[in-house]
Amino acid sequence: MNVKLRVWRQKNSETEGSFENYEARDLNPNMSFLEMLDVVNEDLTNDGSEPIAFAHDCREGICGTCSCMIDGKPHGPETGVATCQTYMRSFKDGDTITVEPFKANAFPIVKDLVTDRKAFDKIQRSGGFVSVRTGAAPDANAIPIGKDIADLAMDAAACIGCGACVAACKNSSAMLFVSAKAGQLNLLPQGQPEKDTRVLNMVATMDEAGFGNCTNQYECSAACPKLISEEFISKLNRDYMSASVKKLFKAKAL
Amino acid sequence: MKVIHVLFRSSIGKKFTMAVSGFILFGFVIGHLSGNLQIFAHPDKINAYAHFIESLGPALWGIRLFLLTTLVVHVWVAAQLTIENKRARQKNYDKQVTLRATLASRYMRVSGVIVLAFIIYHLLHFTVRVTHGTEAYPTTILADGTKVRDVHSMIVLGFKSPYIAIFYLLSVGLLSWHLAHGLVSMFQSVGLRTRAWSHVLERITVVLSVSYFLGNALIVVAAMSGKVRIQNPSVVGFTCRDTCEICGLRNAEAIVENADAVEDNQS
Amino acid sequence: MILDSKIPEGPLAEKWKNHIARGKLVNPSNKRKYEIIIVGSGLAGASAAATLGELGYSVKCFSFHDSPRRAHSIAAQGGINAAKNYQNDGDSVYRLFYDTIKGGDYRSREANVHRLAEVSMNIIDQCVAQGVPFAREYGGTLSNRSFGGAQVSRTFYARGQTGQQLLLGAYSALSRQIGLGTVEMFCNQEMLELVVVNGEAKGIITRNVNTGQIQRHSAHAVVLGTGGYGNVFNLSTYARNSNATAAWRAYRKGAAFANPCYTQIHPTCIPVSGDYQSKLTLMSESLRNDGRIWAPKKLGDKRPPNEIPEKERDYYLERKYPSFGNLAPRDISSRAAKEACDEGRGVGETGLGVYLDFSDAIERLGEETIRERYGNLFAIYKEITNESAYETPMRIYPAVHYTMGGLWVDYDLMSNLPGLFVMGEANFSDHGANRLGASALMQGLADGYFVLPNTIPHYLADVPREAAPSIDGPEFAVAELEVRDRTNKLLDNNGTKSVKSFHKRLGEIMWNYCGMARTKEGLEKALELIPQLREEFRKDVRVPGEGKELNQSLEQAGRVADFLELGELMCRDALAREESCGGHFRVEHQYPDGEAMRDDESFAHVAAWEFKGEDKVPERHVEPLEYEETKFTTRSYK
């Protein structure tokens, strides 16, 4: 099969970008989208042009590096997969495919299709952890955790940090990411002591980073390669307001 | 102030503020509609109700101030959120598809702004009473002899103009649409929407917003089509008689013609 | 070169405890005066950075990714072993130790492996406390599954993504330390050179992959947790960007490279579908519990699998290994698949594949049960191949999955180059010639959380407490110049062939001659071909773009240049090891029935290679392996 590509090319974060057109010929429908880009890049290199920069690594949908906006949807037309798990059979012979990087002010473009998502790391640093010293942990079975809670925490923990939620949201809100990260720990008994400070700090950092606000449209959840539920956003809202109220009225040690 | 900071500075706080102010306003419009539905009863009913509200005096002003503040907060925070949301992605995509956002949710700003314009007009129309001449705001006498504003006639008179009626219908339609997203959304924003009952919540929302629209539309259509008629003799231009079957107990002079005659006279 | 493993005295089970108890320490108030560079942010790197930062050292952690969370530890599916004996099925530290030694085909250090088994339990405790959502029973206790090479259920898991969950646990601990300011994180920084001052590792040179900026960093010690080198083969289950550059630079600066020929080939991967392929995807070993592996009996039988009658199918694992059948260990199953394909009985378009058939299991248990057990794996298979494994058998073929070899380290995880520590897959120490399933995650976290933080003070205590060497020193200047030279040479080469084309050709040579079955002739041939290819690469590679911005071709070029040298070393090591053991199978050394023939007389040792200069033959050193506790036995699965 053959497809035409409209690819966003941008030299670096300082310069303006624009679309370039390419043709990808003689493709095997069982090729992954990134393998198709490999082929295009190989041709570009052989022609003496500069290949398209795109983020990728594990190519099995778990590292969260790949991040293309394909025909207006993060990670391409299929549901519940990352860009690396999108295959050419999802397109028709002769299609024109528009490929853009994930865009948000909090995610500056590094080059071409590569976006810098360090803002997520910042959020994580402000509270996405349980403070436990290495070696200070009690026996793993000391605290039983019901299977339903463990499974729900696992649903949240499935987040691969790719940023598709931000890319899909018309407001570039990071609520699904933050809610998944905070939600996982807030659900588990291990996360309880720091639950309130966790949500307050993570939300404050998220707000500072320049993400937009959630307008409850759930595009994030629909675009998420792990289909993380917007229910965690609801939980984050609840946890945040209760933490705020508690902060106002809670007794404090001297 | 920490409270102010939470409610007006943090992203989740702002959404909470939107939800709570939205909920108050929703409560108000439902109350307002149930009040208005009294138009289908005897005119005295709604007129007495309106009079009761007006007679609250300082309390009424308190309520008005509260509602107005709520509205201002709702609009102000919405504007703030909109600006922030626009700023969060200054360079937009060339192509972006919608995955599951409802149409209502995508046009909240449009419906909100039109509804706001409508509210202003509506207040000028019925509360401040300046959009029409004085003849549009008659008075009447209740059974106990109190002279009150004839809200019943005001409403019917108000919707006689098809332009105004259509504007009302449209605005109420948009408000219902606004509620269709707003109602579900407020539960999400305060953290009460969960997968376990979100489908039920969505259905309730549809029923509520459609009923709200139908309730309002019924009043407008009824007034427009003459199913509800003006019964105030001074408006109609005739005096009442003792044994009027409509007014029954009212002690006044007779009226012979019906409301259709009034219209003929006026035209 | 002296290879002193520094294994502590005393009985095996007491060695680690005694070693910690008697080792030197750094005073808490002095810890912050010591700077430690950690390269890599995978399981080993992140856990070590977090723990050392928490202890008070001044840590700098480097990753070439945009976030520490993207390291390839994240892709491990199956689970992590720990001798908790929560199942009451007879597990113990000793049994985990023994299984690992035997699984490694008696080519690993007893003391290291015993230590690994000891700390395995602390790892699970630590991860649970961090909020890692391991699978649980209804009663709320942790759940376990069984894995190959063990008769007990000791594998802890988190759905099909144990690696991601463990890495996120370590990443969260690291994030906390970065937030507290004890660890400084350098993302998008690729280590391109090791700096050695007075014979000790004291710094690194990095390139910011986004800006091209070359930077010098100094420290009192350098720790590598940079993963394995399986991408030498081009096609593997490794991430595309996994590379051996950091380890290779250390080797060229004097660190010995141990057992480079030990590579693990995983038997159940989705076969290559075409020339364009960039990556092989693993299908979990657990599928072999219910799937039956077969190939057609007839050569070149191109009929669809469902049309091949039962009597024309060869269930070769069941035939050759009746007692283990389809659950024969990884190395053995892989070789058997290769044999079938070499005979011309392979299936699929390329003829490189065998069937993993679930039809019997579906008939016996019903499709629903199979869906419950393997639904997500069948979905991945469908996603990639567009075929439903419920209707037609899966096609599988072995693929490179892990490298047991790596930089040589002593019991303290320090290489022969003082001040250079190596952890996780990047070192050679714990898996011998073959790694058991669910042991890689265990080793990475053991090294990072518990081993290195307890052994690094043994070195640091003797290092003067003054500042780390100045980055303006001559050693740093020379190292930076080397990096600049290499980079510019690649950019200015103006050749005609892409980096990728060389990587592919190298991969083919490695797979054909240094893959699942190795021969003297083949390895000698590879030792001719690789230097030729390297020469061609130097002359004719084309690296488009500039050096002062993101340039993925340039990054890849540097990595492939190192693979072109490392590949040769692997072949050299494979040629020198005149025996078959674990992942290293020499065709000349097998029993008449085709089983691997170990030579414990001559090869019960670690082979560590010393760099002798550009394009010169490296020197092979030997560290004998002494077995006090266990006895050599032949692995038999018949």
Side-chain angles (χ1 to χ4, degrees):
Chain A
M1 65 187 282
N2 303 317
V3 293
K4 294 190 187 75
L5 297 172
R6 266 179 86 227
V7 181
W8 185 259
R9 301 298 306 258
Q10 182 172 336
K11 199 164 162 53
N12 52 48
S13 54
E14 310 299 317
T15 52
E16 291 288 313
S18 62
F19 282 101
E20 294 281 333
N21 294 311
Y22 302 99
E23 287 192 20
R25 297 181 175 284
D26 305 324
L27 305 172
N28 183 321
N30 288 329
M31 243 176 192
S32 77
F33 187 81
L34 295 184
E35 282 165 351
M36 181 275 295
L37 285 182
D38 285 340
V39 171
V40 172
N41 273 348
E42 199 65 359
D43 290 347
L44 285 173
T45 307
N46 291 335
D47 291 349
S49 330
E50 208 182 329
I52 303 159
F54 62 92
H56 68 100
D57 197 31
C58 79
R59 298 206 178 193
E60 49 185 285
I62 195 76
C63 75
T65 309
C66 56
S67 49
C68 289
M69 190 82 174
I70 303 168
D71 272 343
K73 181 181 176 288
H75 297 310
E78 303 297 329
T79 304
V81 294
T83 302
C84 61
Q85 299 163 294
T86 296
Y87 287 83
M88 291 314 289
R89 55 178 173 266
S90 300
F91 303 92
K92 288 197 296 290
D93 189 32
D95 273 1
T96 299
I97 308 171
T98 303
V99 195
E100 297 176 78
F102 284 3
K103 285 182 182 176
N105 279 19
F107 285 174
I109 293 172
V110 176
K111 184 178 183 171
D112 297 346
L113 303 173
V114 182
T115 299
D116 185 343
R117 289 156 289 180
K118 287 196 192 67
F120 274 4
D121 288 328
K122 265 194 212 147
I123 296 171
Q124 194 82 13
R125 275 168 213 166
S126 64
F129 48 76
V130 172
S131 300
V132 52
R133 291 191 72 89
T134 305
D139 183 82
N141 261 348
I143 309 169
I145 302 173
K147 190 177 184 314
D148 47 348
I149 294 288
D151 284 349
L152 196 58
M154 184 62 225
D155 283 349
C159 167
I160 57 172
C162 64
C165 45
V166 175
C169 177
K170 69 174 167 51
N171 309 326
S172 309
S173 167
M175 285 287 277
L176 191 64
F177 170 78
V178 177
S179 70
K181 291 295 166 190
Q184 176 201 343
L185 301 177
N186 288 351
L187 278 165
L188 298 170
Q190 289 85 351
Q192 294 312 307
E194 293 169 292
K195 182 176 171 185
D196 292 347
T197 47
R198 174 177 304 118
V199 285
L200 293 175
N201 291 342
M202 288 178 85
V203 170
T205 313
M206 170 185 84
D207 289 352
E208 276 164 33
F211 292 104
N213 306 287
C214 177
T215 40
N216 305 337
Q217 295 184 316
Y218 321 130
E219 293 287 280
C220 48
S221 181
C224 174
K226 299 292 162 191
L227 298 175
I228 290 171
S229 166
E230 74 274 7
E231 184 172 352
F232 292 109
I233 299 183
S234 181
K235 178 176 165 49
L236 180 68
N237 292 336
R238 190 166 69 233
D239 290 349
Y240 181 81
M241 290 317 292
S242 94
S244 301
V245 171
K246 274 194 248 167
K247 199 181 168 194
L248 290 171
F249 298 106
K250 201 168 60 177
K252 289 184 185 80
L254 290 175
Chain B
M1 278 266 289
K2 281 175 183 166
V3 183
I4 299 288
H5 183 88
V6 170
L7 294 179
F8 294 97
R9 291 278 173 272
S10 74
S11 58
I12 294 179
K14 275 181 273 198
K15 291 301 295 174
F16 184 82
T17 308
M18 284 301 285
V20 172
S21 57
F23 185 72
I24 294 168
L25 293 170
F26 169 70
F28 169 72
V29 296
I30 291 295
H32 190 22
L33 171 64
S34 16
N36 285 358
L37 283 173
Q38 297 177 78
I39 197 158
F40 294 106
H42 189 280
D44 280 4
K45 188 100 178 157
I46 193 166
N47 288 342
Y49 166 73
H51 180 67
F52 164 71
I53 290 174
E54 281 206 337
S55 65
L56 287 173
L60 173 65
W61 278 104
I63 293 167
R64 281 178 171 162
L65 204 67
F66 171 70
L67 285 172
L68 206 64
T69 314
T70 308
L71 180 69
V72 168
V73 164
H74 195 75
V75 173
W76 174 257
V77 177
Q80 218 182 338
L81 288 166
T82 305
I83 293 167
E84 284 172 6
N85 292 344
K86 291 278 168 210
R87 204 182 286 152
R89 183 178 293 130
Q90 274 149 346
K91 288 182 182 147
N92 214 337
Y93 298 108
D94 184 67
K95 186 173 180 185
Q96 189 174 13
V97 295
T98 301
L99 303 171
R100 65 176 268 208
T102 58
L103 215 58
S105 75
R106 290 162 60 201
Y107 290 96
M108 285 301 267
R109 276 169 219 148
V110 177
S111 57
V113 166
I114 297 175
V115 167
L116 180 66
F118 162 71
I119 291 170
I120 294 167
Y121 176 81
H122 182 62
L123 288 176
L124 293 174
H125 186 180
F126 285 125
T127 311
V128 190
R129 297 179 295 277
V130 291
T131 51
H132 297 65
T134 45
E135 71 279 5
Y137 307 109
T139 54
T140 185
I141 295 160
L142 293 180
D144 61 1
T146 340
K147 189 179 174 194
V148 299
R149 211 178 293 291
D150 184 3
V151 173
H152 186 272
S153 302
M154 270 162 64
I155 294 175
V156 182
L157 280 174
F159 296 140
K160 266 195 339 194
S161 151
Y163 296 110
I164 293 179
I166 287 169
F167 176 55
Y168 266 79
L169 274 180
L170 195 80
S171 302
V172 169
L174 283 173
L175 179 53
S176 312
W177 204 40
H178 197 79
L179 290 176
H181 175 66
L183 277 176
V184 196
S185 194
M186 65 177 73
F187 281 89
Q188 172 81 3
S189 292
V190 299
L192 296 177
R193 177 183 174 276
T194 59
R195 261 179 297 180
W197 77 298
S198 64
H199 291 288
V200 179
L201 177 64
E202 271 148 31
R203 258 169 239 158
I204 294 173
T205 299
V206 171
V207 170
L208 275 179
S209 42
V210 168
S211 317
Y212 177 73
F213 174 72
L214 290 178
N216 279 298
L218 206 62
I219 298 172
V220 178
V221 171
M224 237 171 91
S225 63
K227 291 280 179 228
V228 174
R229 292 167 182 168
I230 294 175
Q231 295 160 30
N232 185 337
S234 64
V235 178
V236 183
F238 295 84
T239 46
C240 294
R241 65 183 175 208
D242 283 337
T243 55
C244 172
E245 56 203 22
I246 304 168
C247 298
L249 290 169
R250 192 175 301 171
N251 186 18
E253 289 183 26
I255 173 171
V256 194
E257 303 295 328
N258 61 22
D260 291 335
V262 180
E263 303 221 329
D264 295 341
N265 283 357
Q266 280 180 346
S267 61
Chain C
M1 182 182 281
I2 305 151
L3 297 174
D4 179 4
S5 59
K6 295 192 190 135
I7 291 169
E9 295 299 313
L12 188 62
E14 304 296 317
K15 283 181 196 287
W16 178 233
K17 264 179 252 164
N18 290 342
H19 193 59
I20 299 178
R22 299 196 185 131
K24 290 176 194 155
L25 293 174
V26 176
N27 180 303
S29 60
N30 285 333
K31 286 198 177 104
R32 68 183 164 77
K33 295 176 187 158
Y34 288 106
E35 290 183 74
I36 301 171
I37 283 174
I38 295 177
V39 186
S41 63
L43 284 180
S47 57
T51 306
L52 293 172
E54 188 176 76
L55 285 167
Y57 296 101
S58 301
V59 179
K60 293 193 254 186
C61 183
F62 295 79
S63 167
F64 64 75
H65 289 105
D66 65 337
S67 162
R69 78 169 303 287
R70 309 222 190 271
H72 197 54
S73 310
I74 208 152
Q77 298 170 350
I80 176 166
N81 287 332
K84 279 284 195 187
N85 194 27
Y86 282 159
Q87 303 299 323
N88 193 29
D89 56 359
D91 200 8
S92 63
V93 167
Y94 185 84
R95 196 175 288 276
L96 175 54
F97 152 76
Y98 181 78
D99 286 347
T100 309
I101 285 281
K102 184 186 170 200
D105 220 354
Y106 299 91
R107 290 294 174 264
S108 43
R109 279 194 204 131
E110 273 191 336
N112 283 51
V113 174
H114 199 276
R115 173 175 70 188
L116 179 65
E118 284 171 59
V119 302
S120 68
M121 295 190 275
N122 306 40
I123 296 172
I124 300 302
D125 297 343
Q126 188 64 30
C127 294
V128 166
Q130 286 168 344
V132 171
F134 283 119
R136 287 182 183 263
E137 309 288 353
Y138 283 99
T141 54
L142 290 159
S143 175
N144 289 111
R145 56 164 66 143
S146 319
F147 245 69
Q151 290 167 304
V152 294
S153 257
R154 62 158 77 100
T155 305
F156 295 80
Y157 62 100
R159 236 165 254 178
Q161 40 177 278
T162 318
Q164 149 146 281
Q165 295 314 321
L166 295 176
L167 180 61
L168 290 179
Y171 162 73
S172 72
L174 172 62
S175 296
R176 175 169 164 253
Q177 294 305 321
I178 298 169
L180 292 171
T182 61
V183 178
E184 197 181 347
M185 186 72 216
F186 295 83
C187 287
N188 300 118
Q189 298 268 1
E190 181 161 20
M191 169 184 160
L192 292 181
E193 197 52 88
L194 179 75
V195 183
V196 179
V197 180
N198 298 329
E200 305 200 1
K202 291 294 165 193
I204 59 171
I205 307 291
T206 62
R207 176 176 180 273
N208 183 319
V209 296
N210 284 355
T211 63
Q213 201 191 6
I214 310 280
Q215 280 183 351
R216 307 173 185 183
H217 301 273
S218 77
H220 295 89
V222 176
V223 182
L224 302 185
T226 51
Y229 48 88
N231 261 348
V232 167
F233 290 87
N234 184 33
L235 280 181
S236 71
T237 66
Y238 282 63
R240 280 314 292 168
N241 294 313
S242 300
N243 67 81
T245 289
W248 194 249
R249 292 292 126 198
Y251 163 75
R252 290 178 55 116
K253 285 286 165 93
F257 208 112
N259 301 334
C261 77
Y262 290 165
T263 47
Q264 180 164 80
I265 317 266
H266 197 291
T268 52
C269 294
I270 299 175
V272 177
S273 66
D275 196 37
Y276 51 81
Q277 190 130 357
S278 63
K279 152 92 190 179
L280 297 172
T281 304
L282 184 73
M283 288 278 100
S284 170
E285 189 165 299
S286 61
L287 288 172
R288 290 197 276 145
N289 279 300
D290 284 309
R292 295 179 72 194
I293 294 177
W294 62 274
K297 281 185 179 159
K298 250 198 315 198
L299 296 188
D301 192 338
K302 287 290 164 200
R303 284 175 294 176
N306 300 337
E307 285 173 24
I308 300 178
E310 196 62 28
K311 62 178 190 330
E312 291 180 43
R313 300 176 176 190
D314 175 19
Y315 295 90
Y316 57 82
L317 283 179
E318 294 170 22
R319 174 171 57 82
K320 286 182 175 172
Y321 309 101
S323 68
F324 273 71
N326 293 298
L327 276 172
R330 288 179 179 177
D331 46 351
I332 287 170
S333 317
S334 294
R335 274 198 298 279
K338 179 180 158 45
E339 273 167 33
C341 297
D342 287 351
E343 287 163 22
R345 300 190 291 130
V347 300
E349 253 175 74
T350 55
L352 291 175
V354 293
Y355 291 122
L356 178 58
D357 198 335
F358 291 88
S359 52
D360 280 3
I362 289 173
E363 209 165 287
R364 192 174 70 245
L365 305 162
E367 192 173 314
E368 230 9 77
T369 311
I370 295 298
R371 197 181 296 277
E372 260 168 44
R373 286 185 191 170
Y374 311 111
N376 63 329
L377 293 165
F378 280 39
I380 295 175
Y381 184 76
K382 171 97 205 256
E383 208 172 79
I384 294 175
T385 60
N386 207 21
E387 285 172 21
S388 164
Y390 298 104
E391 287 152 22
T392 176
M394 275 186 186
R395 285 173 296 109
I396 52 159
Y397 198 65
V400 176
H401 179 58
Y402 188 88
T403 52
M404 281 72 69
L407 291 174
W408 184 89
V409 289
D410 63 15
Y411 190 71
D412 278 349
L413 299 185
M414 187 162 83
S415 74
N416 57 308
L417 210 57
L420 178 71
F421 292 80
V422 192
M423 308 179 289
E425 192 181 348
N427 76 25
F428 86 104
S429 70
D430 295 356
H431 304 298
N434 178 51
R435 180 178 66 76
L436 288 182
S439 284
L441 300 179
M442 174 169 70
Q443 190 217 344
L445 289 180
D447 287 359
Y449 281 133
F450 299 106
V451 179
L452 186 82
N454 279 303
T455 60
I456 205 167
H458 302 168
Y459 167 75
L460 289 176
D462 290 335
V463 174
R465 281 192 296 278
E466 57 213 32
S470 161
I471 55 167
D472 299 323
E475 294 88 353
F476 282 88
V478 169
E480 182 183 328
L481 203 66
E482 285 171 3
V483 170
R484 286 191 187 279
D485 270 0
R486 272 203 304 276
T487 308
N488 293 338
K489 212 177 261 175
L490 287 169
L491 284 167
D492 300 340
N493 205 39
N494 289 327
T496 60
K497 296 193 186 86
S498 71
V499 176
K500 204 184 185 88
S501 66
F502 285 101
H503 197 179
K504 212 163 155 179
R505 283 163 66 193
L506 174 66
E508 275 160 20
I509 297 173
M510 294 304 294
W511 182 247
N512 289 337
Y513 303 114
C514 198
M516 276 183 282
R518 299 152 177 187
T519 63
K520 185 168 182 287
E521 294 71 38
L523 290 165
E524 280 168 350
K525 178 116 189 259
L527 286 172
E528 255 171 57
L529 292 173
I530 296 170
Q532 283 169 16
L533 187 65
R534 193 164 61 224
E535 209 39 54
E536 193 184 331
F537 176 87
R538 285 171 187 166
K539 281 199 190 111
D540 205 21
V541 72
R542 174 196 295 209
V543 181
E546 298 169 34
K548 54 180 192 297
E549 57 182 38
L550 178 64
N551 186 336
Q552 292 169 325
S553 308
L554 177 63
E555 290 166 37
Q556 218 43 46
R559 295 165 189 167
V560 171
D562 290 339
F563 285 146
L564 281 163
E565 297 177 16
L566 173 57
E568 184 181 336
L569 187 71
M570 289 167 71
C571 295
R572 217 173 271 289
D573 188 46
L575 185 62
R577 188 168 282 277
E578 293 273 5
E579 64 161 351
S580 294
C581 61
H584 169 66
F585 187 80
R586 282 287 299 270
V587 175
E588 301 92 335
H589 302 283
Q590 55 179 314
Y591 291 102
D593 59 1
E595 295 308 312
M597 189 193 275
R598 236 174 36 219
D599 179 354
D600 296 327
E601 283 287 302
S602 328
F603 288 98
H605 61 233
V606 175
W609 295 83
E610 183 187 0
F611 182 69
K612 285 288 182 189
E614 192 76 47
D615 295 331
K616 293 217 174 81
V617 178
E619 191 181 342
R620 187 177 191 266
H621 299 273
V622 161
E623 179 209 330
L625 290 167
E626 279 147 31
Y627 284 83
E628 299 168 14
E629 196 73 36
T630 45
K631 305 235 163 1
F632 292 116
T633 53
T634 307
R635 293 198 306 163
S636 171
Y637 298 93
K638 296 214 163 191

